[in-house]
Amino acid sequence: AQSVTQPDIHITVSEGASLELRCNYSYGATPYLFWYVQSPGQGLQLLLKYFSGDTLVQGIKGFEAEFKRSQSSFNLRKPSVHWSDAAEYFCAVAVTGANNLFFGTGTRLTVIP
Amino acid sequence: EPEVTQTPSHQVTQMGQEVILRCVPISNHLYFYWYRQILGQKVEFLVSFYNNEISEKSEIFDDQFSVERPDGSNFTLKIRSTKLEDSAMYFCASSAQGGFARGTQYFGPGTRLLVL
């Protein structure tokens, strides 16, 4: 069965520092991969997605993620974090033919001055 | 930018009571979804809905749950007799098309349900 693991429950970074949020998945084939962000009081907003092709995908708000098949990972990165990036980040996978997403437990990002 | 809206934002109910959570999907979307997140746990898929019928549902979506599109704009989730373990954040989502190759799911802000 497919599953998603986000090993870091909470990460704190300084504003301007780089960021990497980890995501590992378990699935027999290459899934569709997503990163969503949830700011307080807001819905889940799609940051980026990977379906096929170039394994480095660019998203909104300066985020990128790299799909590594050998590691079953899809880590989210940002070279310089802004205070407004403080939020909860969710990695999700979808399997071929299905309409539902499988989410990780989320990583809460705190940004300090 | 169009967005999915949900009402209420918070709801408190007594165990055994019926609740209806409401969602207004993005207007030209045809596929609708409910997910939930119990505090501290993963966001879990409940059900997907297309063409006025359920297209997929998870094990969580038992006979206590039902969904409806009562008019051209609303999409509702009903829990007939709430249990303590139904306390969670419920997210509605919609997409223009089915299948992730074509249809990105857009999520609402959620309804936090507390069952006492």
Side-chain angles (χ1 to χ4, degrees):
Chain A
Q2 53 281 334
S3 67
V4 181
T5 302
Q6 292 181 249
D8 304 305
I9 297 172
H10 187 199
I11 284 183
T12 300
V13 298
S14 298
E15 191 168 14
S18 63
L19 171 70
E20 182 168 24
L21 302 182
R22 296 183 289 167
C23 173
N24 293 96
Y25 68 89
S26 173
Y27 179 54
T30 300
Y32 300 133
L33 297 160
F34 306 81
W35 275 98
Y36 281 85
V37 60
Q38 185 182 28
S39 299
Q42 304 296 312
L44 295 165
Q45 182 183 23
L46 181 67
L47 284 175
L48 47 77
K49 58 188 177 184
Y50 172 79
F51 291 161
S52 64
D54 192 346
T55 56
L56 184 64
V57 293
Q58 302 297 321
I60 62 171
K61 304 185 180 188
F63 285 92
E64 66 178 26
E66 185 172 12
F67 169 59
K68 292 186 177 179
R69 185 190 306 274
S70 61
Q71 298 176 20
S72 297
S73 69
F74 188 57
N75 294 347
L76 182 72
R77 300 195 294 248
K78 186 170 184 178
S80 178
V81 169
H82 188 261
W83 64 266
S84 60
D85 294 324
E88 186 100 18
Y89 291 81
F90 294 93
C91 180
V93 303
V95 301
T96 307
N99 282 320
N100 53 301
L101 291 165
F102 294 90
F103 284 86
T105 49
T107 298
R108 178 164 298 280
L109 175 66
T110 297
V111 180
I112 57 177
Chain B
E1 183 179 329
E3 57 184 23
V4 177
T5 59
Q6 291 184 243
T7 54
S9 58
H10 294 78
Q11 177 140 11
V12 180
T13 190
Q14 296 291 323
M15 188 170 54
Q17 295 296 304
E18 173 184 286
V19 296
I20 298 177
L21 309 183
R22 303 181 191 280
C23 169
V24 178
I26 294 173
S27 63
N28 63 342
H29 284 187
L30 301 176
Y31 295 79
F32 314 112
Y33 314 84
W34 283 101
Y35 292 79
R36 78 172 185 190
Q37 184 183 28
I38 295 171
L39 191 63
Q41 298 185 23
K42 299 183 180 188
V43 176
E44 302 170 290
F45 169 75
L46 293 178
V47 66
S48 60
F49 189 86
Y50 169 71
N51 199 26
N52 282 318
E53 59 183 31
I54 291 173
S55 47
E56 280 183 72
K57 61 181 181 178
S58 72
E59 295 173 350
I60 303 167
F61 194 86
D62 60 22
D63 292 343
Q64 293 297 313
F65 292 91
S66 61
V67 289
E68 188 179 27
R69 188 154 164 81
D71 52 43
S73 59
N74 289 282
F75 178 53
T76 62
L77 173 70
K78 181 193 289 186
I79 309 175
R80 289 191 182 82
S81 179
T82 50
K83 303 188 281 277
L84 295 176
E85 55 264 37
D86 293 326
S87 296
M89 178 75 89
Y90 288 81
F91 293 104
C92 173
S94 69
S95 63
Q97 294 175 305
F100 289 97
R102 298 164 297 176
T104 296
Q105 292 186 13
Y106 293 86
F107 285 77
T111 293
R112 185 167 294 285
L113 175 66
L114 178 61
V115 181
L116 301 177

